[in-house]
Amino acid sequence: MPQDPLSPLSSAEIPAAVNAAFVHQPVWDMHTHLYPPTFGTPVTNATGQMDPNGHMLWGVDELVTYHYLVAEVYRVQPASSFPYEQFWQLTRAQQADHIWKYLFVERTPISEACRGILTTLQKLGLDPNEKTLAPYRKFFSQQKPDAYIDRVMQIANVKTITMTNPVFDDNERQRWLGAPDIGNDPRFRAVLRIDPLLRDYPAAAGKISTWDYPAAAKPDAESMRQIRRFLGDWLDRQKAIYVAVSLPPEFRYPALPGDALGLAGQAVLEQAVLPVCAERKLPFAMMIGSRLRVQPGLRDAGDMVGQADIASVVNLCRDFPKNKFLVSMLPRENQHELAVAARKFSNLMIFGCWWFLNNPSLVDEITRMRVELLGTSFVPQHSDARILDQLVYKWDHSRRWIADVFAEKYQDLAATGRHVTQENIQRDARLLLHDNFAEYVTR
Ligand code: HDL
Ligand code: ZN
């Protein structure tokens, strides 16, 4: 490898240079469900401070009972022999033991969600071959949450963790109201998540009306003023960097009666949410295509994917040119059209290989498509982590998959005679894993 970062790399030298650049580039993880210790933790640990309703999830029992694995264990231990409610009545540790037995001992843990846990254990210096969780539990019980966050972020090379902060979740809202500086941990940034406000506006209007923001079920001008005030107060309280919503496959804009938003939800989007985001230069993030609770017995594990509508994204980007949109879509089949839409609108930043797409075969396919259509002007990945330790595997795996695509693309570029240097590659890795998002939320 040439010592001079500005000297041209040979085709054979490119893969190692790309891998080094992507491994060493600190990430701004722009969508997670992670929290700092100020939000409490239900996990037994060396500080002895436990909050059963705490939001900071970490450690092997939380890792193994991540909802992806709950869905997978029910593939091998069907509800007919082990009813869902029986599983949910188990303690977290008992649930984890059940999953470890059936997915990691009696079967080969070869799925991405299973393999991810083994990558995390391995990178924490633990033996991934244990037959029970006891040795792992001992390790995690010796950790102190605050220091452990630093350790995980260092191993995963994550510089900033972006939270998801659902204001209509009573537990979350009360924590913010009870501790104004709860979100001041410099490692974390907040996001105002508002799903009910758009997806079930009449119920949301009833709730915010009890929070001193009187809003009518059929939103009139005064209601819209109150909703804008509600959004502004919470954006200030959280110091949020964007506003987010998850939308079902049926989401359409313009809405039709009976659509996902309905005419009231659409009016709130047009007259409150987007104007507040535009005046504060905050992106509005839409994660589109999740159909909730198709299998209610699985609870968080019971959600599904469904074909969504890109034309609705195009209509919003076109009709609201002063707004910045962040969009991730869940269906594999939507990815090409979404990438083409991003070619048409500079106020559309597409991001991540979300949820059921966060697997090697699909990250490869989607990243390849995006580089070919968008160059380096997109955000290739977010972790969507719910359990802190997942950062270790989600970023280890994603960096490798993304680097493999870019290595091939740089080799194709070099074949034209264009010089490809370490400096080029490091600059691009910085854009893709950090600066594209950082600049989009601040510009
Ligand atoms: O709505 C979302 O933000 C999704 O990411 C859900 O949280 C989903 O359950 C999830 O965890 N996906 O990975
Ligand atoms: Zn998420």
Side-chain angles (χ1 to χ4, degrees):
M1 185 96 69
Q3 290 313 313
D4 174 3
L6 298 177
S7 62
L9 293 163
S10 71
S11 186
E13 289 168 328
I14 285 175
V18 174
N19 194 56
F22 278 83
V23 164
H24 294 120
Q25 174 55 47
V27 156
W28 186 333
D29 195 345
M30 49 79 64
H31 171 64
T32 80
H33 299 269
L34 301 179
Y35 290 88
T38 48
F39 284 81
T41 180
V43 178
T44 308
N45 62 79
T47 63
Q49 290 154 2
M50 270 182 54
D51 170 351
N53 299 312
H55 279 350
M56 180 192 162
L57 302 181
W58 58 291
V60 71
D61 287 315
E62 295 296 342
L63 272 174
V64 175
T65 57
Y66 180 38
H67 66 74
Y68 292 22
L69 290 123
V70 176
E72 290 180 30
V73 79
Y74 266 98
R75 299 277 322 137
V76 299
Q77 278 298 305
S80 53
S81 62
F82 194 70
Y84 297 123
E85 280 320 305
Q86 200 172 325
F87 177 83
W88 297 118
Q89 280 158 18
L90 297 176
T91 64
R92 184 67 93 206
Q94 290 168 331
Q95 292 171 3
D97 290 337
H98 176 83
I99 290 170
W100 192 258
K101 174 178 187 302
Y102 288 109
L103 290 184
F104 290 79
V105 178
E106 296 193 2
R107 294 219 178 197
T108 306
I110 200 167
S111 75
E112 179 58 17
C114 287
R115 181 173 75 97
I117 290 176
L118 302 179
T119 298
T120 292
L121 295 173
Q122 178 192 44
K123 285 185 166 294
L124 286 168
L126 302 169
D127 180 356
N129 298 288
E130 300 291 357
K131 296 300 179 202
T132 75
L133 295 173
Y136 306 137
R137 286 180 177 133
K138 183 168 181 297
F139 165 81
F140 286 104
S141 70
Q142 294 162 347
Q143 306 308 313
K144 294 186 177 178
D146 204 53
Y148 184 61
I149 290 174
D150 288 333
R151 180 169 180 194
V152 165
M153 291 178 78
Q154 185 267 325
I155 296 171
N157 200 5
V158 169
K159 181 181 176 189
T160 305
I161 296 173
T162 305
M163 298 187 276
T164 297
N165 304 100
V167 64
F168 288 91
D169 174 286
D170 294 339
N171 181 353
E172 169 104 19
R173 190 176 62 262
Q174 291 308 327
R175 289 178 187 271
W176 283 98
L177 294 173
D181 58 356
I182 194 171
N184 288 358
D185 188 314
R187 299 167 293 188
F188 291 79
R189 299 304 302 273
V191 164
L192 180 58
R193 181 71 176 258
I194 59 167
D195 295 24
L197 187 65
L198 297 181
R199 297 179 66 158
D200 186 7
Y201 170 72
K207 286 194 174 182
I208 68 171
S209 296
T210 64
W211 303 339
D212 193 27
Y213 303 93
K218 287 190 185 318
D220 52 18
E222 177 54 17
S223 300
M224 291 299 181
R225 195 179 71 78
Q226 294 293 341
I227 296 166
R228 288 193 293 271
R229 188 169 68 86
F230 165 72
L231 293 169
D233 288 352
W234 275 95
L235 286 168
D236 292 342
R237 179 172 289 116
Q238 293 181 345
K239 302 186 190 67
I241 58 173
Y242 64 82
V243 176
V245 67
S246 171
L247 294 165
E250 295 74 23
F251 169 66
R252 294 293 181 273
Y253 183 85
L256 300 171
D259 267 354
L261 298 196
L263 298 179
Q266 173 175 289
V268 171
L269 175 63
E270 292 170 330
Q271 299 172 42
V273 175
L274 292 179
V276 167
C277 288
E279 72 197 27
R280 290 167 173 252
K281 298 191 186 316
L282 293 179
F284 179 57
M286 297 183 288
M287 293 179 292
I288 308 171
S290 62
R291 181 165 289 122
L292 302 181
R293 301 300 190 270
V294 299
Q295 174 49 276
L298 284 172
R299 297 186 184 176
D300 276 352
D303 301 344
M304 171 77 184
V305 56
Q307 186 80 7
D309 179 60
I310 315 285
S312 298
V313 174
V314 167
N315 293 339
L316 280 167
C317 293
R318 184 193 58 239
D319 295 354
F320 294 88
K322 291 191 173 58
N323 280 93
K324 297 182 287 186
F325 295 94
L326 285 164
V327 174
S328 198
M329 295 187 87
L330 194 49
R332 176 190 186 191
E333 298 72 14
N334 283 141
Q335 300 307 318
H336 180 255
E337 196 180 346
L338 179 63
V340 173
R343 289 169 60 89
K344 311 305 165 193
F345 296 97
S346 57
N347 61 333
L348 172 58
M349 179 68 81
I350 65 177
F351 73 93
C353 298
W354 179 30
W355 201 340
F356 305 112
L357 301 175
N358 191 5
N359 296 318
S361 59
L362 294 175
V363 172
D364 182 271
E365 173 186 288
I366 295 166
T367 305
R368 201 173 290 278
M369 181 192 297
R370 289 171 173 173
V371 182
E372 291 157 0
L373 284 167
L374 303 171
T376 56
S377 64
F378 63 99
V379 178
Q381 190 59 297
H382 62 281
S383 71
D384 208 9
R386 282 171 174 252
I387 319 297
L388 174 73
D389 332 59
Q390 290 174 332
L391 290 178
V392 173
Y393 87 81
K394 284 176 180 259
W395 283 109
D396 178 73
H397 293 181
S398 288
R399 288 174 193 271
R400 292 171 193 276
W401 304 332
I402 295 164
D404 287 349
V405 172
F406 274 88
E408 196 180 307
K409 293 302 177 187
Y410 284 121
Q411 288 175 322
D412 292 348
L413 186 61
T416 70
R418 169 62 159 78
H419 291 166
V420 174
T421 68
Q422 268 179 286
E423 191 280 335
N424 294 158
I425 296 168
Q426 285 164 349
R427 173 202 54 202
D428 296 345
R430 189 169 58 250
L431 284 170
L432 289 155
L433 297 183
H434 190 277
D435 288 2
N436 280 353
F437 176 69
E439 288 163 12
Y440 198 66
V441 292
T442 51
R443 80 179 181 211

